[in-house]
Amino acid sequence: MSHKELGRSGIKVPALTFGGNVFGWTADRETSFSLLDALVENQLNFIDTADVYSSWVPGNQGGESETTIGQWLKKSGKPMGEGKQGLSPRYIQQAVEDSLRRLQTDYIDLYQSHDDDRDTPLAETLAAFDGLIKAGKVRAIGASNYQADRLEEALKVSEENGLARYETLQPEYNLYAREEYERSLAPVVQRHGLGVINFFSLASGFLTGKYRSEKDIGKSQRGDTIVERYLNPRGFKILAALDRVAEKHHTSPTQVSLAWLIARPDITAPIVSATSLKQLDELISATRLRLDAEDIRILNDASAW
């Protein structure tokens, strides 16, 4: 399994990030544990979780994903490294302590701002993160859902004040959703040597080829009506290209979609999820698929913005 560094943090991670939002949601405790066991066995020990996972499920309140991971960590014995929103120093400190408690661990490898908070000065937010790193509770920090100008400003604040900087960016990026990242965020990422852990890597399942008409939307256990936005001529053109490349390599559109992301030099580890070991096996296989220049050209042309 190949590894890449998260920005300049010194932390190296495998080619895929596992999206832990399924734990406590579409994957029950037993399934979650089996998935976590399989991830470690395959050296995929980079898991994305958040305190808000999975508050959107009736009966849940948030923290279920972290709690599940913490219970698994305790069971497996594997060492791994009101007003509950925003990026104020007070809330950051509270949120980290709550996450450490649920995860039953002493530190968090990568702690990311889930969303930008324009009501809190960047210097205050970054000073709070800097303090957590110096206290040994966090190893590196990252930004999720930041616009290019704010990311650039945050990096400038860190440099001017001698504070820890964002080492990673977590944007939406996939074969369909290319324009925003490539037009504005990629130049910032490349200029500052940031790692990229993109979400919606498979466009909510559309790039698996599972959804080819509106009637297919009912196949989703999650009821993802968001898939509707991909059901258009451009989306179908991308699926046709994926089918073509997948047939050539005797594989699936899922693996081709992920291999395209992994092949990009500025992408560190795309986020993907699975709710069964069979699905996980397919994701793992994507890390071994090597696309040639012609494959990349076909996919780039079909998805060009």
Side-chain angles (χ1 to χ4, degrees), residues 196-211:
V196 178
I197 312 162
N198 54 297
F199 65 87
F200 284 177
S201 299
L202 294 172
S204 297
F206 175 72
L207 296 175
T208 67
K210 179 179 179 180
Y211 306 100

Side-chain angles (χ1 to χ4, degrees), residues 43-110:
Q43 302 178 53
L44 291 175
N45 60 338
F46 192 31
I47 300 168
D48 174 70
T49 186
D51 54 6
V52 73
Y53 298 164
S54 49
S55 61
W56 56 85
V57 179
N60 285 5
Q61 58 184 7
E64 287 79 15
S65 173
E66 290 182 332
T67 298
T68 299
I69 295 171
Q71 292 170 344
W72 173 80
L73 283 170
K74 185 175 182 179
K75 174 179 176 293
S76 66
K78 294 181 173 66
M80 288 180 65
E82 326 299 79
K84 294 187 176 182
Q85 61 181 9
L87 295 174
S88 68
R90 178 197 60 78
Y91 179 57
I92 288 173
Q93 185 66 42
Q94 175 192 343
V96 166
E97 295 296 343
D98 287 345
S99 290
L100 289 172
R101 173 177 49 79
R102 285 189 291 262
L103 290 167
Q104 302 186 54
T105 188
D106 296 326
Y107 68 90
I108 295 167
D109 287 302
L110 176 65

Side-chain angles (χ1 to χ4, degrees), residues 205-272:
F206 175 72
L207 296 175
T208 67
K210 179 179 179 180
Y211 306 100
R212 296 177 184 266
S213 67
E214 290 190 6
K215 66 179 181 181
D216 292 331
I217 295 176
K219 296 178 181 178
S220 173
Q221 184 178 352
R222 303 180 302 176
D224 258 333
T225 56
I226 194 173
V227 173
E228 291 180 5
R229 67 173 172 163
Y230 305 121
L231 299 176
N232 54 53
R234 179 169 177 267
F236 297 138
K237 185 177 180 181
I238 293 172
L239 287 184
L242 284 170
D243 289 339
R244 178 180 170 185
V245 176
E247 183 178 4
K248 170 184 170 181
H249 290 276
H250 306 289
T251 185
S252 67
T254 296
Q255 294 183 35
V256 173
S257 296
L258 294 176
W260 178 83
L261 285 169
I262 293 171
R264 284 195 58 98
D266 55 344
I267 299 299
T268 308
I271 299 173
V272 288

Side-chain angles (χ1 to χ4, degrees), residues 102-225:
R102 285 189 291 262
L103 290 167
Q104 302 186 54
T105 188
D106 296 326
Y107 68 90
I108 295 167
D109 287 302
L110 176 65
Y111 196 74
Q112 299 189 117
S113 305
H114 208 129
D115 291 289
D116 190 7
D117 177 9
R118 293 178 179 267
D119 295 327
T120 301
L122 285 167
E124 291 184 14
T125 294
L126 292 163
F129 285 139
D130 188 76
L132 290 170
I133 290 176
K134 289 175 178 175
K137 296 183 178 182
V138 171
R139 292 182 65 193
I141 57 172
S144 179
N145 298 304
Y146 266 58
Q147 294 182 344
D149 60 336
R150 288 284 286 177
L151 181 59
E152 187 78 62
E153 184 181 355
L155 292 165
K156 181 179 179 181
V157 168
S158 291
E159 182 178 4
E160 292 179 345
N161 293 276
L163 300 172
R165 71 166 201 159
Y166 287 137
E167 294 291 350
T168 59
L169 173 68
Q170 186 170 318
E172 177 179 1
Y173 186 59
N174 55 56
L175 263 171
Y176 188 99
R178 293 178 56 185
E179 182 174 1
E180 182 176 356
Y181 171 75
E182 292 181 10
R183 183 192 296 276
S184 60
L185 289 166
V188 180
V189 164
Q190 294 162 8
R191 189 159 52 246
H192 295 278
L194 305 185
V196 178
I197 312 162
N198 54 297
F199 65 87
F200 284 177
S201 299
L202 294 172
S204 297
F206 175 72
L207 296 175
T208 67
K210 179 179 179 180
Y211 306 100
R212 296 177 184 266
S213 67
E214 290 190 6
K215 66 179 181 181
D216 292 331
I217 295 176
K219 296 178 181 178
S220 173
Q221 184 178 352
R222 303 180 302 176
D224 258 333
T225 56

